[in-house]
Amino acid sequence: MENVALLVDVQNVYYTVRQAYGRHFDYNRFWAQATQGRQVVAAFAYAIDRGDSKQREFQNILRAIGFEVKLKPFIQRADGSAKGDWDVGIAIDALEQTAAADTVVLVSGDGDFTPLVQTLQQNHGKSVEVYGVPPLTAASLVHAANRFIAIDEQLLL
């Protein structure tokens, strides 16, 4: 059986799905689709922790599905800008899963992950599937992936 690692950039998914469709991503449907006929060796959902109760409920839903939720505090800078980015953490976890996973599934449209996808393929012999909102996913990421799966009607609430 094929081993799979799931890595979900929650903030990217939330904003791109909302911008493109005005709806929400269906994590249950995604899980069912991405894991069908596969053994899950890791499943991480990366989120920013703002500490509100609605967000905690959402995180508990993700845990109930099977994700390990990784949280980073929301940082508001003095100049009004904000920071809350998991790119380095996602990359480290993806590379750490190379021993156990045959396929890495990345849910993000962020083109910053293109070198990661290429490294997983070229240096580690992994297949990489990318789920993203088509008009909001970097072309470089779409082209680098072994398989690009559009987040569309079938994966929306």
Side-chain angles (χ1 to χ4, degrees), residues 3-7 31 39-44 66-68 93 97 100-101:
N3 289 334
V4 65
L6 309 175
L7 307 167
W31 183 281
Q39 174 69 40
V40 178
V41 295
F44 301 123
F67 289 100
E68 177 183 332
D93 284 346
Q97 294 309 313

Side-chain angles (χ1 to χ4, degrees), residues 23-110:
R23 293 172 60 194
H24 294 284
F25 184 63
D26 188 331
Y27 285 87
N28 282 300
R29 281 194 205 152
F30 160 73
W31 183 281
Q33 180 177 318
T35 64
Q36 186 173 14
R38 296 169 160 174
Q39 174 69 40
V40 178
V41 295
F44 301 123
Y46 304 87
I48 304 307
D49 188 13
R50 295 176 188 258
D52 65 74
S53 61
K54 193 170 182 179
Q55 191 179 53
R56 277 193 294 277
E57 287 175 31
F58 171 65
Q59 293 161 4
N60 288 333
I61 289 167
L62 291 175
R63 287 182 187 101
I65 292 169
F67 289 100
E68 177 183 332
V69 178
K70 294 195 171 197
L71 298 172
K72 186 179 273 193
F74 177 75
I75 298 168
Q76 186 77 42
R77 296 184 182 123
D79 67 0
S81 65
K83 180 167 176 50
D85 172 317
W86 265 106
D87 290 6
V88 173
I90 292 170
I92 289 168
D93 284 346
L95 291 167
E96 286 182 345
Q97 294 309 313
T98 59
D102 303 307
T103 300
V104 175
V105 176
L106 174 65
V107 186
S108 180
D110 190 338

